[in-house]
Amino acid sequence: MEQLDRRPFPPGDYDVVLVGSGPGGLQTAYSLARTGIPRCAVISRDPAPGGMFRRFPVYQRLISWTKPDAPFERGTREYEWYDHNSLVGDEREHQALAPEFMDRAFDVPTRHEMEAALVEFAMRGGVRVRYGCEWLSTRRDDAGFVLETSDGEYRCRVCVFAIGVTEPWVAPIPGLEAAPHYVAANAPERYQGKSVFIVGKRNSGFELAQGLLPWARRIVLGSPRPVDTAMLAFSPLSIRYLSPYTEHIRGGTGSYVVDAAIDRVERHVDGYRIHTSGTTWAGELELESDEVIAATGFRAPVRDLPGVGVAMVNDGRMPAQTPYWESISVPGIYFAGNVTQASPGLRKHGATSSSGSVNGFRYNARVLAQHIAEKHFGIRFERRPLEVDEIVPYLLGELAHAPELWTQKGYLARVVGVDGADRFRNEGIVPLADFLDREGGDACAVAVEYDTDGTIIPVVYLRQGGRLVEHPLPPHPMHMFGTDEHRQQVAACLTPLLPREASASWV
């Protein structure tokens, strides 16, 4: 570690202060540094890059996949769809770093491989962070915000908190506080020959159960809601973790997935007694178990932010956010990283965003940095003009290959705005909810979404004269959205934006 006087960003006055050096913090810092905002400071309590991946997942293997060899070359924008773990950069040497560290034993990296890729991104991308500087408290003043840290005070107009959702949250179940949380789970071999009851049936619960399959004598996962296999395509739950579930439905080898409310947990000298009530079946069930693990989730470590007015959602576990990840109640406070999952988007047909994962929030960070620069500092980014005959091929290309649209289905969109009678401009990637809710001039947006049956489809949105129209386009078995049929339908959708003489030759 460098000497204190050689570390970057000493306490003082800045335009933006970013807290955090996990993947969300690194991506946001990288993007903010390229906006032209004069004074951006990045601080972190950690001693090095990596954030949550310095500790989690506890059983060391990620759920998000990377395909080292794919239909597109590493470093291209199109390749990003095949690499859900790398951060994204503006130069080739900053791109696709995760596969460089993978041993290819699996198509998902280990925790230490992911951490190594993040360290490399920070080094190659010149992401400067004041490590070992812990954010302690927050207050407002006339000029903006004051962050008290272990190194002193930071004053700024805008704060960005990339603090993760990493603080253990234990459900209010009597007696459950006596059991260890997911973060304190033992190594798998410590459970050899034991019966284990896991409270929870989401990522962390199934991760534990999968890791314990070769060791534990019996595994029971319990929570009120059933596993909805029809919704797995929309869910962040990795199918790789579902071996305990498949064993349960086959009546297999000592794995059980129980739909039950946990009424209370009693600790006794030989283990635990768990009292449950069925939710999809009638009756009560009392189980004895050697071990109980609470895989009940996490909350964002927001410290005193609620005290300065930041509204919270999800049982107080995450800050409520606008489509641009700004606090709904305290303008000027933004969030980055996996806490941006609290910005709900449209949730059409039950589909959620991918903002809880690196592959989703890396794109949120890019949009966020540009939004902050424009809204708070008046930095205007060039909007490339598009010729009329470019628009349809360009939008079809985005629907076919844009990693932002494919990863953040129904959440991010590509927008083209009308600039004059027959001129168009590329307005960039924006949150779809913002495009649909805001007033503005004539424009179109395209997004990749799920329909009611869970089929992936392209969708065109047209805003003209204050009226908004949605045009779902047909699916394709190979997701090829550049067919003649798609070209004709996109052209027909956009025809109202053109003067009559131009539209006649477009379709």
Side-chain angles (χ1 to χ4, degrees):
M1 179 65 68
E2 296 176 325
Q3 295 297 317
L4 183 62
D5 59 357
R6 298 182 60 190
R7 292 157 64 203
F9 312 127
D13 294 340
Y14 294 90
D15 296 311
V16 179
V17 174
L18 167 63
V19 179
S21 60
L26 296 176
Q27 184 70 71
T28 307
Y30 179 96
S31 301
L32 282 170
R34 287 154 176 79
T35 62
I37 298 173
R39 301 175 303 163
C40 294
V42 186
I43 63 174
S44 172
R45 69 179 180 183
D46 290 340
M52 65 170 286
F53 290 109
R54 293 170 56 82
R55 298 180 292 154
F56 304 135
V58 295
Y59 286 170
Q60 301 298 305
R61 186 70 68 171
L62 275 65
I63 64 173
S64 48
W65 52 274
T66 285
K67 187 173 175 57
D69 288 293
F72 296 93
E73 291 296 319
R74 293 188 201 174
T76 62
R77 180 170 174 245
E78 292 83 359
Y79 175 77
E80 292 169 17
W81 169 234
Y82 301 88
D83 176 11
H84 285 193
N85 298 295
S86 298
L87 299 182
V88 290
D90 297 335
E91 300 174 34
R92 170 63 189 89
E93 57 267 29
H94 307 160
Q95 293 275 14
L97 299 185
E100 293 187 16
F101 294 89
M102 292 173 60
D103 64 8
R104 301 204 192 198
F106 293 89
D107 62 348
V108 294
T110 63
R111 185 206 59 76
H112 70 84
E113 289 169 350
M114 182 66 178
E115 182 185 0
L118 294 173
V119 171
E120 189 73 8
F121 178 84
M123 183 181 71
R124 292 191 195 180
V127 179
R128 302 172 69 228
V129 180
R130 187 178 184 86
Y131 293 107
C133 179
E134 184 174 6
W135 161 58
L136 300 173
S137 63
T138 315
R139 68 179 188 271
R140 292 201 246 186
D141 66 9
D142 293 339
F145 303 95
V146 180
L147 274 60
E148 182 67 37
T149 76
S150 55
D151 287 354
E153 287 187 350
Y154 287 78
R155 297 176 179 272
C156 57
R157 292 171 57 184
V158 173
C159 301
V160 183
F161 293 95
I163 51 179
V165 185
T166 56
E167 191 171 275
W169 181 82
V170 178
I173 297 171
L176 187 58
E177 68 279 358
H181 189 269
Y182 162 90
V183 302
N186 289 318
E189 59 270 21
R190 296 282 297 275
Y191 297 96
Q192 181 175 0
K194 295 184 177 182
S195 60
V196 182
F197 190 98
I198 299 170
V199 182
K201 297 201 297 274
R202 300 206 54 173
N203 270 345
S204 56
F206 274 105
E207 178 203 339
L208 292 173
Q210 179 72 34
L212 296 180
L213 277 179
W215 298 97
R217 172 171 54 84
R218 185 188 71 186
I219 301 169
V220 180
L221 294 98
S223 70
R225 294 182 182 179
V227 176
D228 187 350
T229 55
M231 294 295 291
L232 286 179
F234 302 155
S235 170
L237 179 64
S238 173
I239 295 176
R240 188 175 68 86
Y241 283 164
L242 290 184
S243 293
Y245 178 72
T246 60
E247 290 192 6
H248 165 75
I249 61 177
R250 292 169 183 157
T253 58
S255 295
Y256 303 90
V257 179
V258 179
D259 302 333
I262 316 301
D263 298 323
R264 68 185 187 278
V265 175
E266 296 175 351
R267 181 74 185 267
H268 55 76
V269 65
D270 295 322
Y272 297 84
R273 182 174 296 110
I274 305 100
H275 299 265
T276 73
S277 302
T279 53
T280 59
W281 49 275
E284 298 180 350
L285 183 65
E286 185 178 298
L287 294 170
E288 300 285 338
S289 189
D290 298 317
E291 302 282 354
V292 171
I293 306 174
T296 51
F298 299 85
R299 66 187 301 274
V302 294
R303 291 192 179 269
D304 63 347
L305 290 183
V308 297
V310 171
M312 304 292 288
V313 293
N314 296 350
D315 297 320
R317 295 162 68 180
M318 287 183 278
Q321 300 159 49
T322 71
Y324 279 102
W325 311 288
E326 186 174 18
S327 167
I328 64 168
S329 52
V330 183
I333 289 183
Y334 289 85
F335 298 91
N338 67 352
V339 75
T340 59
Q341 64 187 280
S343 179
L346 301 179
R347 294 187 181 273
K348 289 173 63 177
H349 311 309
T352 59
S353 75
S354 292
S355 298
S357 304
V358 171
N359 63 339
F361 65 65
R362 62 189 180 185
Y363 299 118
N364 296 355
R366 280 180 154 180
V367 175
L368 171 63
Q370 182 170 314
H371 175 77
I372 289 173
E374 292 187 333
K375 178 179 178 179
H376 295 277
F377 301 99
I379 299 172
R380 182 70 178 170
F381 293 88
E382 180 183 0
R383 266 65 173 176
R384 185 174 76 86
L386 295 169
E387 299 296 330
V388 169
D389 58 2
E390 286 185 87
I391 298 173
V392 171
Y394 177 69
L395 294 180
L396 288 175
E398 290 293 282
L399 288 169
H401 299 300
E404 302 93 333
L405 306 190
W406 276 90
T407 304
Q408 290 282 46
K409 293 182 182 70
Y411 188 77
L412 294 179
R414 170 68 68 179
V415 175
V416 171
V418 178
D419 182 17
D422 57 356
R423 299 177 61 192
F424 296 81
R425 287 194 180 274
N426 179 3
E427 297 291 340
I429 298 288
V430 306
L432 179 57
D434 175 68
F435 176 81
L436 299 183
D437 290 344
R438 74 184 180 203
E439 296 181 358
D442 292 355
C444 67
V446 295
V448 177
E449 301 183 13
Y450 295 105
D451 67 10
T452 54
D453 297 325
T455 302
I456 296 173
I457 60 169
V459 181
V460 178
Y461 295 89
L462 190 73
R463 188 173 63 221
Q464 184 185 31
R467 181 170 175 261
L468 188 70
V469 180
E470 176 182 344
H471 298 279
L473 303 184
H476 188 280
M478 298 292 291
H479 307 318
M480 296 173 63
F481 299 146
T483 66
D484 287 343
E485 180 183 16
H486 288 96
R487 181 188 63 78
Q488 292 169 4
Q489 291 202 22
V490 170
C493 290
L494 303 185
T495 295
L497 295 181
L498 286 180
R500 182 174 301 175
E501 58 274 15
S503 63
S505 61
W506 201 3
V507 179

